[in-house]
Amino acid sequence: MKMLKLITIVLLSSMLTGSVYAEDFTLGIYGVNNPEDIAIVKKAGFNTIQTYKKDIETITALAEEASKQNIKLIAYPDQFVKNFNTELFFDIPIKAWYLFDEPDVNKLDWDTLNNLELKTKHFFSTDKTIFVIGQGKTEIPFYDIADIIMVDWYPVPHLKLESLGEQIGLAKKELLKIGCKDKPLWAVIQAFDWKEYKQYRPDDDRIGRFPTKDEIRFMSYDAIFSGATGLFYFIYTSKNIPLPKSKPESWQDIKSVLSELTQVTKIIKNGTELETPQIYKSLKIKTYLYENMTYMILMNPTDHYVKVNKYFLKSNIEVLFNKQTKLKKIIKKSMLPPYSVWILRKSKS
């Protein structure tokens, strides 16, 4: 009877919490391990957090605060599965159970990852599962495992900025091949300095820097244009210290990008995408109808300026989110800067 009561409570909890963000575009951040930080990331604009902590006590504490802040949680299921019994009670606003981190990079085989999926679903059949791969196309095809797949690809400063979108595109193609075109595909956006992590270089030299605000912004939109249906940012800490304290300027950059994305993703998620004539080979363009207004997103995924049609400067078209004087002058010249994004809104008149 106790087991039945427990299962009923857990399933009811999953049903209730699972609907909280049903209409939201997932904007999450990795590595939130302390309950006191949840209010900070919530205020920044995130609606989902991930933790690397595996012990039940820490995850339960995070879950309690996440519930208060109306935020979702991604966590490892290991200890909950191992200790699942009639005496265990917990109420977690779970977004998805985190099966494994980069099985392709860590040489995990398909059967092992699939067994983790089956074991987790045995105990939490109504909850979602998720894992992240380190590149869009993996040698072992993991794409049919789990409910959600993430791709983490961190180009700054080693690779071209647009390579993130390319990797998301590769993963999208692999999902299409197996008939899973609607499976959620989330991109993990670089928000860390590579100098702080081991690099696969023969000279063992560490090269890196923290991405700029413009780079974080571009990677976010590039991922969406390439098929990402959610965004996560890696990582909340720098050298184990939360970014608001360790890198306040970078944290402010992230907050600025999130403030914009929380508005734009509502348009993407809830608006109607219109057919857009692709008149520029170099540009990517998407158009949406949302609340009787037309929005156009123009993205330049190249390292050079691209001239655009003066149509975009008509009196009834305004450029959103770009308030810098210098940028206004560039826009007036109809030149889209390298790796930049314009959000345009057309009024009815």
Side-chain angles (χ1 to χ4, degrees):
M1 190 67 181
K2 287 184 178 180
M3 175 62 84
L4 179 60
K5 181 180 180 182
L6 172 64
I7 293 174
T8 302
I9 293 174
V10 171
L11 290 179
L12 180 59
S13 172
S14 296
M15 291 169 63
L16 291 174
T17 58
S19 63
V20 174
Y21 289 110
E23 299 303 320
D24 279 6
F25 187 97
T26 297
L27 294 169
I29 189 165
Y30 267 82
V32 179
N33 299 323
N34 297 306
E36 58 266 29
D37 290 322
I38 295 178
I40 297 172
V41 299
K42 171 72 174 183
K43 187 176 181 180
F46 293 102
N47 55 36
T48 310
I49 59 171
Q50 182 269 2
T51 180
Y52 280 110
K53 299 293 185 180
K54 292 187 176 182
D55 62 286
I56 291 176
E57 292 77 12
T58 298
I59 295 176
T60 301
L62 286 168
E64 183 178 351
E65 183 60 25
S67 293
K68 292 178 182 178
Q69 298 294 336
N70 201 26
I71 202 166
K72 304 288 278 187
L73 175 66
I74 289 179
Y76 283 100
D78 306 43
Q79 292 301 312
F80 290 99
V81 169
K82 182 179 179 180
N83 296 286
F84 196 90
N85 57 63
T86 57
E87 302 300 322
L88 182 63
F89 170 77
F90 54 93
D91 184 5
I92 299 179
I94 198 73
K95 182 78 171 186
W97 291 107
Y98 198 68
L99 298 178
F100 204 83
D101 198 90
E102 297 184 335
D104 52 328
V105 176
N106 291 289
K107 309 299 182 184
L108 198 73
D109 60 86
W110 188 93
D111 287 334
T112 302
L113 184 62
N114 190 56
N115 286 338
L116 287 172
E117 159 80 358
L118 295 175
K119 186 182 294 185
T120 303
K121 284 291 189 179
H122 174 74
F123 291 100
F124 308 109
S125 60
T126 63
D127 289 341
K128 302 294 185 183
T129 52
I130 189 171
F131 66 94
V132 64
I133 50 179
Q135 55 192 325
K137 184 174 175 57
T138 59
E139 184 177 353
I140 298 174
F142 298 108
Y143 306 95
D144 56 341
I145 302 175
D147 299 296
I148 307 163
I149 291 181
M150 291 197 285
V151 177
D152 57 7
W153 183 265
Y154 309 128
V156 180
H158 308 83
L159 303 168
K160 289 185 177 181
L161 205 58
E162 66 269 30
S163 62
L164 169 63
E166 292 170 357
Q167 293 299 318
I168 298 300
L170 288 174
K172 187 69 176 177
K173 287 180 180 178
E174 294 303 309
L175 289 172
L176 288 172
K177 283 181 184 178
I178 62 171
C180 293
K181 67 182 182 70
D182 295 325
K183 177 179 282 194
L185 173 63
W186 298 351
V188 185
I189 309 300
Q190 181 178 349
F192 71 92
D193 183 345
W194 260 118
K195 284 184 179 178
E196 297 181 21
Y197 294 86
K198 179 181 178 181
Q199 299 175 29
Y200 299 97
R201 297 172 53 86
D203 54 11
D204 200 32
D205 192 18
R206 294 191 178 188
I207 298 174
R209 62 175 175 79
F210 205 97
T212 66
K213 173 187 171 182
D214 288 341
E215 288 171 332
I216 294 171
R217 182 174 184 263
F218 172 82
M219 288 188 288
S220 300
Y221 282 106
D222 192 26
I224 293 172
F225 266 75
S226 300
T229 55
L231 301 177
F232 250 78
Y233 293 76
F234 185 91
I235 184 174
Y236 180 63
T237 57
S238 174
K239 297 181 179 178
N240 296 318
I241 301 173
L243 288 177
K245 293 182 179 180
S246 60
K247 292 184 180 293
E249 291 183 1
S250 296
W251 180 245
Q252 187 57 45
D253 288 343
I254 294 171
K255 287 172 60 179
S256 178
V257 173
L258 259 290
S259 176
E260 176 181 328
L261 285 172
T262 52
Q263 300 174 68
V264 176
T265 53
K266 287 180 182 178
I267 298 169
I268 293 172
K269 183 81 174 179
N270 302 312
T272 301
E273 185 170 359
L274 306 177
E275 185 176 351
T276 304
Q278 298 301 314
I279 57 178
Y280 301 102
K281 291 183 179 180
S282 299
L283 298 182
K284 293 182 179 181
I285 307 174
K286 284 183 179 289
T287 307
Y288 297 90
L289 180 64
Y290 178 69
E291 295 185 345
N292 296 318
M293 300 287 280
T294 301
Y295 294 83
M296 183 174 286
I297 306 174
L298 282 75
M299 186 177 70
N300 178 7
T302 73
D303 59 1
H304 56 269
Y305 281 82
V306 175
K307 188 172 182 61
V308 298
N309 195 298
K310 289 189 178 294
Y311 162 82
F312 299 114
L313 300 177
K314 289 184 177 180
S315 59
N316 65 334
I317 294 178
E318 58 181 319
V319 181
L320 307 179
F321 309 115
N322 295 324
K323 299 179 180 179
Q324 303 95 321
T325 303
K326 183 179 178 182
L327 195 53
K328 282 185 177 181
K329 291 180 179 178
I330 294 173
I331 291 171
K332 286 183 178 180
K333 292 180 180 179
S334 302
M335 296 295 289
L336 198 60
Y339 300 124
S340 63
V341 182
W342 288 358
I343 313 295
L344 308 180
R345 179 171 61 194
K346 182 181 179 181
S347 62
K348 297 177 183 178
S349 59

